[in-house]
Amino acid sequence: MTRIVADISVSLDGFVTGPDPGPDNGLGTGGEALHTWAFSADPDDRRILREATARSGAVVLGRRLFDVVDGPKGWDDTSGYGAGEVGRPAFVVVTSSPPESVRLADLDWTFVTTGLSDAVAAARERAEAAASDSGEDLDVVLMGGGATIGSALDAGLVDVLTLHLAPVVLGAGTPLFTGGAPRTLVRRSVTATSTATHLTYDVLR
């Protein structure tokens, strides 16, 4: 079964970046603390990252996030998706127009210009094809940014919401939740480490 999983790190006060994010400062001022857990040596942090990325058949991201990860200060061999835990899934970008060039050309990019629902559908097709090849169930992962995940929740596209709650108060930045349609969540798991509290919820539709 292919699930649509929204997975994102968030501060205690609800921000997914610090203040003043941009292509050269993707997580904003102080926002690096949100992802400390992803580079932690804690065995539970490593397990959570490994299990999540191992189930990633395709990954959806918005154009602003793409511009950050594909920018000159973006992903490299040590800081790409999953931080080297697993192989590379397909990436689907929601955008109004494809970029003229891609720095990370060795990754599998698809650019969808017809909206988030179509991007999720395209990612599901890629994940299901990868699952057929591997013989394992694989997920579509919505990795962000915050507006993309919020829109997906509002549209009823998300099956599972995973939050990595970092022990930091940023005070400002990009909020994860800005209103929208109410959703009922059912908690599936909680794992606390020194760097984050990892929360997983089923999203009821």
PDB file of all heavy atoms in Angstrom, residues 2-35:
ATOM      1  N   THR A   2       0.621   2.175  -0.910  1.00  0.00           N
ATOM      2  CA  THR A   2       1.381   3.420  -0.976  1.00  0.00           C
ATOM      3  C   THR A   2       0.703   4.481  -0.121  1.00  0.00           C
ATOM      4  O   THR A   2      -0.434   4.870  -0.386  1.00  0.00           O
ATOM      5  CB  THR A   2       1.482   3.923  -2.425  1.00  0.00           C
ATOM      6  OG1 THR A   2       2.108   2.917  -3.232  1.00  0.00           O
ATOM      7  CG2 THR A   2       2.299   5.206  -2.502  1.00  0.00           C
ATOM      8  N   ARG A   3       1.399   4.930   0.904  1.00  0.00           N
ATOM      9  CA  ARG A   3       0.874   5.978   1.772  1.00  0.00           C
ATOM     10  C   ARG A   3       1.456   7.325   1.344  1.00  0.00           C
ATOM     11  O   ARG A   3       2.571   7.400   0.819  1.00  0.00           O
ATOM     12  CB  ARG A   3       1.236   5.724   3.226  1.00  0.00           C
ATOM     13  CG  ARG A   3       0.814   4.373   3.778  1.00  0.00           C
ATOM     14  CD  ARG A   3       1.304   4.208   5.205  1.00  0.00           C
ATOM     15  NE  ARG A   3       2.746   4.370   5.288  1.00  0.00           N
ATOM     16  CZ  ARG A   3       3.427   4.473   6.433  1.00  0.00           C
ATOM     17  NH1 ARG A   3       2.788   4.441   7.593  1.00  0.00           N
ATOM     18  NH2 ARG A   3       4.750   4.607   6.428  1.00  0.00           N
ATOM     19  N   ILE A   4       0.700   8.400   1.614  1.00  0.00           N
ATOM     20  CA  ILE A   4       1.208   9.755   1.426  1.00  0.00           C
ATOM     21  C   ILE A   4       1.590  10.267   2.801  1.00  0.00           C
ATOM     22  O   ILE A   4       0.729  10.474   3.665  1.00  0.00           O
ATOM     23  CB  ILE A   4       0.153  10.673   0.772  1.00  0.00           C
ATOM     24  CG1 ILE A   4      -0.434  10.011  -0.476  1.00  0.00           C
ATOM     25  CG2 ILE A   4       0.788  12.023   0.445  1.00  0.00           C
ATOM     26  CD1 ILE A   4       0.569   9.669  -1.552  1.00  0.00           C
ATOM     27  N   VAL A   5       2.883  10.454   3.026  1.00  0.00           N
ATOM     28  CA  VAL A   5       3.418  10.791   4.338  1.00  0.00           C
ATOM     29  C   VAL A   5       4.009  12.197   4.300  1.00  0.00           C
ATOM     30  O   VAL A   5       4.954  12.460   3.539  1.00  0.00           O
ATOM     31  CB  VAL A   5       4.504   9.787   4.771  1.00  0.00           C
ATOM     32  CG1 VAL A   5       5.049  10.150   6.150  1.00  0.00           C
ATOM     33  CG2 VAL A   5       3.951   8.368   4.767  1.00  0.00           C
ATOM     34  N   ALA A   6       3.458  13.102   5.102  1.00  0.00           N
ATOM     35  CA  ALA A   6       4.050  14.426   5.278  1.00  0.00           C
ATOM     36  C   ALA A   6       5.047  14.338   6.421  1.00  0.00           C
ATOM     37  O   ALA A   6       4.695  13.934   7.533  1.00  0.00           O
ATOM     38  CB  ALA A   6       2.973  15.457   5.578  1.00  0.00           C
ATOM     39  N   ASP A   7       6.292  14.690   6.170  1.00  0.00           N
ATOM     40  CA  ASP A   7       7.377  14.481   7.141  1.00  0.00           C
ATOM     41  C   ASP A   7       8.203  15.757   7.210  1.00  0.00           C
ATOM     42  O   ASP A   7       8.806  16.169   6.210  1.00  0.00           O
ATOM     43  CB  ASP A   7       8.225  13.289   6.692  1.00  0.00           C
ATOM     44  CG  ASP A   7       9.274  12.876   7.709  1.00  0.00           C
ATOM     45  OD1 ASP A   7      10.060  13.743   8.141  1.00  0.00           O
ATOM     46  OD2 ASP A   7       9.318  11.692   8.060  1.00  0.00           O
ATOM     47  N   ILE A   8       8.253  16.392   8.397  1.00  0.00           N
ATOM     48  CA  ILE A   8       8.941  17.677   8.486  1.00  0.00           C
ATOM     49  C   ILE A   8       9.383  17.941   9.925  1.00  0.00           C
ATOM     50  O   ILE A   8       8.752  17.478  10.878  1.00  0.00           O
ATOM     51  CB  ILE A   8       8.025  18.817   7.978  1.00  0.00           C
ATOM     52  CG1 ILE A   8       8.835  20.084   7.685  1.00  0.00           C
ATOM     53  CG2 ILE A   8       6.863  19.071   8.937  1.00  0.00           C
ATOM     54  CD1 ILE A   8       8.082  21.100   6.833  1.00  0.00           C
ATOM     55  N   SER A   9      10.480  18.669  10.067  1.00  0.00           N
ATOM     56  CA  SER A   9      10.966  19.096  11.380  1.00  0.00           C
ATOM     57  C   SER A   9      10.366  20.448  11.723  1.00  0.00           C
ATOM     58  O   SER A   9      10.208  21.318  10.851  1.00  0.00           O
ATOM     59  CB  SER A   9      12.493  19.195  11.374  1.00  0.00           C
ATOM     60  OG  SER A   9      13.088  17.941  11.104  1.00  0.00           O
ATOM     61  N   VAL A  10      10.048  20.646  13.010  1.00  0.00           N
ATOM     62  CA  VAL A  10       9.346  21.848  13.431  1.00  0.00           C
ATOM     63  C   VAL A  10       9.827  22.257  14.816  1.00  0.00           C
ATOM     64  O   VAL A  10      10.193  21.411  15.640  1.00  0.00           O
ATOM     65  CB  VAL A  10       7.814  21.613  13.411  1.00  0.00           C
ATOM     66  CG1 VAL A  10       7.409  20.502  14.368  1.00  0.00           C
ATOM     67  CG2 VAL A  10       7.036  22.888  13.668  1.00  0.00           C
ATOM     68  N   SER A  11       9.852  23.560  15.066  1.00  0.00           N
ATOM     69  CA  SER A  11      10.251  24.067  16.378  1.00  0.00           C
ATOM     70  C   SER A  11       9.099  23.961  17.369  1.00  0.00           C
ATOM     71  O   SER A  11       7.946  23.718  16.997  1.00  0.00           O
ATOM     72  CB  SER A  11      10.688  25.531  16.260  1.00  0.00           C
ATOM     73  OG  SER A  11       9.578  26.358  15.955  1.00  0.00           O
ATOM     74  N   LEU A  12       9.395  24.173  18.643  1.00  0.00           N
ATOM     75  CA  LEU A  12       8.361  24.122  19.666  1.00  0.00           C
ATOM     76  C   LEU A  12       7.288  25.174  19.443  1.00  0.00           C
ATOM     77  O   LEU A  12       6.130  24.978  19.836  1.00  0.00           O
ATOM     78  CB  LEU A  12       8.979  24.299  21.050  1.00  0.00           C
ATOM     79  CG  LEU A  12       9.842  23.151  21.571  1.00  0.00           C
ATOM     80  CD1 LEU A  12      10.477  23.532  22.901  1.00  0.00           C
ATOM     81  CD2 LEU A  12       9.022  21.883  21.721  1.00  0.00           C
ATOM     82  N   ASP A  13       7.653  26.285  18.798  1.00  0.00           N
ATOM     83  CA  ASP A  13       6.650  27.324  18.532  1.00  0.00           C
ATOM     84  C   ASP A  13       6.107  27.250  17.104  1.00  0.00           C
ATOM     85  O   ASP A  13       5.499  28.200  16.612  1.00  0.00           O
ATOM     86  CB  ASP A  13       7.184  28.722  18.850  1.00  0.00           C
ATOM     87  CG  ASP A  13       8.541  29.039  18.231  1.00  0.00           C
ATOM     88  OD1 ASP A  13       9.222  28.102  17.755  1.00  0.00           O
ATOM     89  OD2 ASP A  13       8.937  30.218  18.237  1.00  0.00           O
ATOM     90  N   GLY A  14       6.300  26.118  16.442  1.00  0.00           N
ATOM     91  CA  GLY A  14       5.571  25.847  15.213  1.00  0.00           C
ATOM     92  C   GLY A  14       6.182  26.314  13.918  1.00  0.00           C
ATOM     93  O   GLY A  14       5.485  26.387  12.900  1.00  0.00           O
ATOM     94  N   PHE A  15       7.491  26.592  13.892  1.00  0.00           N
ATOM     95  CA  PHE A  15       8.136  27.077  12.677  1.00  0.00           C
ATOM     96  C   PHE A  15       9.001  25.991  12.039  1.00  0.00           C
ATOM     97  O   PHE A  15       9.677  25.231  12.734  1.00  0.00           O
ATOM     98  CB  PHE A  15       9.000  28.307  12.972  1.00  0.00           C
ATOM     99  CG  PHE A  15       8.206  29.505  13.418  1.00  0.00           C
ATOM    100  CD1 PHE A  15       8.195  29.869  14.759  1.00  0.00           C
ATOM    101  CD2 PHE A  15       7.459  30.239  12.517  1.00  0.00           C
ATOM    102  CE1 PHE A  15       7.449  30.971  15.186  1.00  0.00           C
ATOM    103  CE2 PHE A  15       6.714  31.344  12.932  1.00  0.00           C
ATOM    104  CZ  PHE A  15       6.708  31.710  14.278  1.00  0.00           C
ATOM    105  N   VAL A  16       8.993  25.950  10.711  1.00  0.00           N
ATOM    106  CA  VAL A  16       9.805  24.971   9.975  1.00  0.00           C
ATOM    107  C   VAL A  16      11.068  25.593   9.394  1.00  0.00           C
ATOM    108  O   VAL A  16      11.896  24.886   8.810  1.00  0.00           O
ATOM    109  CB  VAL A  16       8.986  24.279   8.875  1.00  0.00           C
ATOM    110  CG1 VAL A  16       7.843  23.491   9.501  1.00  0.00           C
ATOM    111  CG2 VAL A  16       8.451  25.272   7.851  1.00  0.00           C
ATOM    112  N   THR A  17      11.220  26.900   9.516  1.00  0.00           N
ATOM    113  CA  THR A  17      12.487  27.600   9.288  1.00  0.00           C
ATOM    114  C   THR A  17      12.607  28.682  10.345  1.00  0.00           C
ATOM    115  O   THR A  17      11.621  29.044  10.994  1.00  0.00           O
ATOM    116  CB  THR A  17      12.584  28.283   7.905  1.00  0.00           C
ATOM    117  OG1 THR A  17      11.779  29.490   7.908  1.00  0.00           O
ATOM    118  CG2 THR A  17      12.136  27.363   6.774  1.00  0.00           C
ATOM    119  N   GLY A  18      13.811  29.222  10.482  1.00  0.00           N
ATOM    120  CA  GLY A  18      13.992  30.416  11.275  1.00  0.00           C
ATOM    121  C   GLY A  18      13.667  31.650  10.458  1.00  0.00           C
ATOM    122  O   GLY A  18      13.217  31.555   9.309  1.00  0.00           O
ATOM    123  N   PRO A  19      13.885  32.846  11.022  1.00  0.00           N
ATOM    124  CA  PRO A  19      13.625  34.082  10.277  1.00  0.00           C
ATOM    125  C   PRO A  19      14.522  34.213   9.041  1.00  0.00           C
ATOM    126  O   PRO A  19      15.631  33.687   9.003  1.00  0.00           O
ATOM    127  CB  PRO A  19      13.952  35.183  11.302  1.00  0.00           C
ATOM    128  CG  PRO A  19      13.893  34.508  12.642  1.00  0.00           C
ATOM    129  CD  PRO A  19      14.324  33.095  12.400  1.00  0.00           C
ATOM    130  N   ASP A  20      14.013  34.920   8.038  1.00  0.00           N
ATOM    131  CA  ASP A  20      14.769  35.290   6.833  1.00  0.00           C
ATOM    132  C   ASP A  20      15.318  34.097   6.045  1.00  0.00           C
ATOM    133  O   ASP A  20      16.496  34.068   5.656  1.00  0.00           O
ATOM    134  CB  ASP A  20      15.926  36.236   7.193  1.00  0.00           C
ATOM    135  CG  ASP A  20      15.453  37.489   7.893  1.00  0.00           C
ATOM    136  OD1 ASP A  20      14.428  38.050   7.468  1.00  0.00           O
ATOM    137  OD2 ASP A  20      16.097  37.897   8.885  1.00  0.00           O
ATOM    138  N   PRO A  21      14.487  33.121   5.750  1.00  0.00           N
ATOM    139  CA  PRO A  21      14.963  32.016   4.909  1.00  0.00           C
ATOM    140  C   PRO A  21      15.119  32.474   3.462  1.00  0.00           C
ATOM    141  O   PRO A  21      14.482  33.438   3.028  1.00  0.00           O
ATOM    142  CB  PRO A  21      13.852  30.976   5.036  1.00  0.00           C
ATOM    143  CG  PRO A  21      12.613  31.797   5.251  1.00  0.00           C
ATOM    144  CD  PRO A  21      13.058  32.974   6.084  1.00  0.00           C
ATOM    145  N   GLY A  22      15.947  31.788   2.713  1.00  0.00           N
ATOM    146  CA  GLY A  22      16.138  32.107   1.301  1.00  0.00           C
ATOM    147  C   GLY A  22      17.071  31.103   0.674  1.00  0.00           C
ATOM    148  O   GLY A  22      17.590  30.205   1.346  1.00  0.00           O
ATOM    149  N   PRO A  23      17.321  31.224  -0.630  1.00  0.00           N
ATOM    150  CA  PRO A  23      18.171  30.249  -1.323  1.00  0.00           C
ATOM    151  C   PRO A  23      19.552  30.079  -0.702  1.00  0.00           C
ATOM    152  O   PRO A  23      20.103  28.974  -0.721  1.00  0.00           O
ATOM    153  CB  PRO A  23      18.269  30.828  -2.747  1.00  0.00           C
ATOM    154  CG  PRO A  23      17.012  31.615  -2.907  1.00  0.00           C
ATOM    155  CD  PRO A  23      16.743  32.218  -1.553  1.00  0.00           C
ATOM    156  N   ASP A  24      20.115  31.163  -0.132  1.00  0.00           N
ATOM    157  CA  ASP A  24      21.437  31.069   0.480  1.00  0.00           C
ATOM    158  C   ASP A  24      21.363  30.840   1.987  1.00  0.00           C
ATOM    159  O   ASP A  24      22.396  30.760   2.657  1.00  0.00           O
ATOM    160  CB  ASP A  24      22.240  32.348   0.202  1.00  0.00           C
ATOM    161  CG  ASP A  24      22.577  32.497  -1.269  1.00  0.00           C
ATOM    162  OD1 ASP A  24      22.731  31.462  -1.953  1.00  0.00           O
ATOM    163  OD2 ASP A  24      22.671  33.647  -1.742  1.00  0.00           O
ATOM    164  N   ASN A  25      20.160  30.742   2.521  1.00  0.00           N
ATOM    165  CA  ASN A  25      19.965  30.575   3.959  1.00  0.00           C
ATOM    166  C   ASN A  25      18.685  29.766   4.143  1.00  0.00           C
ATOM    167  O   ASN A  25      17.701  30.250   4.710  1.00  0.00           O
ATOM    168  CB  ASN A  25      19.866  31.945   4.645  1.00  0.00           C
ATOM    169  CG  ASN A  25      19.855  31.856   6.156  1.00  0.00           C
ATOM    170  OD1 ASN A  25      20.433  30.940   6.734  1.00  0.00           O
ATOM    171  ND2 ASN A  25      19.205  32.799   6.802  1.00  0.00           N
ATOM    172  N   GLY A  26      18.718  28.531   3.624  1.00  0.00           N
ATOM    173  CA  GLY A  26      17.497  27.760   3.440  1.00  0.00           C
ATOM    174  C   GLY A  26      16.657  27.573   4.681  1.00  0.00           C
ATOM    175  O   GLY A  26      15.424  27.629   4.621  1.00  0.00           O
ATOM    176  N   LEU A  27      17.284  27.348   5.835  1.00  0.00           N
ATOM    177  CA  LEU A  27      16.540  27.120   7.070  1.00  0.00           C
ATOM    178  C   LEU A  27      16.369  28.385   7.900  1.00  0.00           C
ATOM    179  O   LEU A  27      15.827  28.338   9.001  1.00  0.00           O
ATOM    180  CB  LEU A  27      17.236  26.035   7.906  1.00  0.00           C
ATOM    181  CG  LEU A  27      17.151  24.623   7.312  1.00  0.00           C
ATOM    182  CD1 LEU A  27      18.037  23.667   8.096  1.00  0.00           C
ATOM    183  CD2 LEU A  27      15.708  24.136   7.302  1.00  0.00           C
ATOM    184  N   GLY A  28      16.801  29.525   7.353  1.00  0.00           N
ATOM    185  CA  GLY A  28      16.663  30.772   8.077  1.00  0.00           C
ATOM    186  C   GLY A  28      17.633  30.868   9.247  1.00  0.00           C
ATOM    187  O   GLY A  28      18.391  29.941   9.540  1.00  0.00           O
ATOM    188  N   THR A  29      17.598  31.988   9.930  1.00  0.00           N
ATOM    189  CA  THR A  29      18.501  32.218  11.054  1.00  0.00           C
ATOM    190  C   THR A  29      18.148  31.295  12.216  1.00  0.00           C
ATOM    191  O   THR A  29      17.034  31.325  12.725  1.00  0.00           O
ATOM    192  CB  THR A  29      18.418  33.679  11.510  1.00  0.00           C
ATOM    193  OG1 THR A  29      18.730  34.530  10.394  1.00  0.00           O
ATOM    194  CG2 THR A  29      19.390  33.952  12.653  1.00  0.00           C
ATOM    195  N   GLY A  30      19.089  30.468  12.608  1.00  0.00           N
ATOM    196  CA  GLY A  30      18.872  29.538  13.714  1.00  0.00           C
ATOM    197  C   GLY A  30      18.154  28.265  13.332  1.00  0.00           C
ATOM    198  O   GLY A  30      17.985  27.365  14.170  1.00  0.00           O
ATOM    199  N   GLY A  31      17.736  28.151  12.076  1.00  0.00           N
ATOM    200  CA  GLY A  31      16.937  27.012  11.668  1.00  0.00           C
ATOM    201  C   GLY A  31      17.684  25.696  11.578  1.00  0.00           C
ATOM    202  O   GLY A  31      17.067  24.628  11.549  1.00  0.00           O
ATOM    203  N   GLU A  32      19.016  25.748  11.559  1.00  0.00           N
ATOM    204  CA  GLU A  32      19.780  24.504  11.503  1.00  0.00           C
ATOM    205  C   GLU A  32      19.478  23.599  12.686  1.00  0.00           C
ATOM    206  O   GLU A  32      19.577  22.372  12.591  1.00  0.00           O
ATOM    207  CB  GLU A  32      21.281  24.806  11.462  1.00  0.00           C
ATOM    208  CG  GLU A  32      21.765  25.512  10.209  1.00  0.00           C
ATOM    209  CD  GLU A  32      21.542  27.021  10.254  1.00  0.00           C
ATOM    210  OE1 GLU A  32      21.040  27.512  11.301  1.00  0.00           O
ATOM    211  OE2 GLU A  32      21.848  27.690   9.253  1.00  0.00           O
ATOM    212  N   ALA A  33      19.068  24.212  13.810  1.00  0.00           N
ATOM    213  CA  ALA A  33      18.758  23.416  15.007  1.00  0.00           C
ATOM    214  C   ALA A  33      17.577  22.474  14.783  1.00  0.00           C
ATOM    215  O   ALA A  33      17.429  21.477  15.491  1.00  0.00           O
ATOM    216  CB  ALA A  33      18.459  24.354  16.182  1.00  0.00           C
ATOM    217  N   LEU A  34      16.745  22.759  13.784  1.00  0.00           N
ATOM    218  CA  LEU A  34      15.608  21.895  13.501  1.00  0.00           C
ATOM    219  C   LEU A  34      16.041  20.512  13.016  1.00  0.00           C
ATOM    220  O   LEU A  34      15.325  19.525  13.221  1.00  0.00           O
ATOM    221  CB  LEU A  34      14.710  22.530  12.432  1.00  0.00           C
ATOM    222  CG  LEU A  34      14.033  23.848  12.798  1.00  0.00           C
ATOM    223  CD1 LEU A  34      13.363  24.442  11.567  1.00  0.00           C
ATOM    224  CD2 LEU A  34      13.023  23.634  13.912  1.00  0.00           C
ATOM    225  N   HIS A  35      17.185  20.445  12.369  1.00  0.00           N
ATOM    226  CA  HIS A  35      17.622  19.200  11.739  1.00  0.00           C
ATOM    227  C   HIS A  35      18.802  18.553  12.449  1.00  0.00           C
ATOM    228  O   HIS A  35      19.423  17.636  11.900  1.00  0.00           O
ATOM    229  CB  HIS A  35      17.968  19.454  10.278  1.00  0.00           C
ATOM    230  CG  HIS A  35      16.769  19.738   9.429  1.00  0.00           C
ATOM    231  ND1 HIS A  35      16.864  20.085   8.106  1.00  0.00           N
ATOM    232  CD2 HIS A  35      15.441  19.723   9.714  1.00  0.00           C
ATOM    233  CE1 HIS A  35      15.642  20.292   7.607  1.00  0.00           C
ATOM    234  NE2 HIS A  35      14.779  20.075   8.577  1.00  0.00           N
TER     235      HIS A  35
END
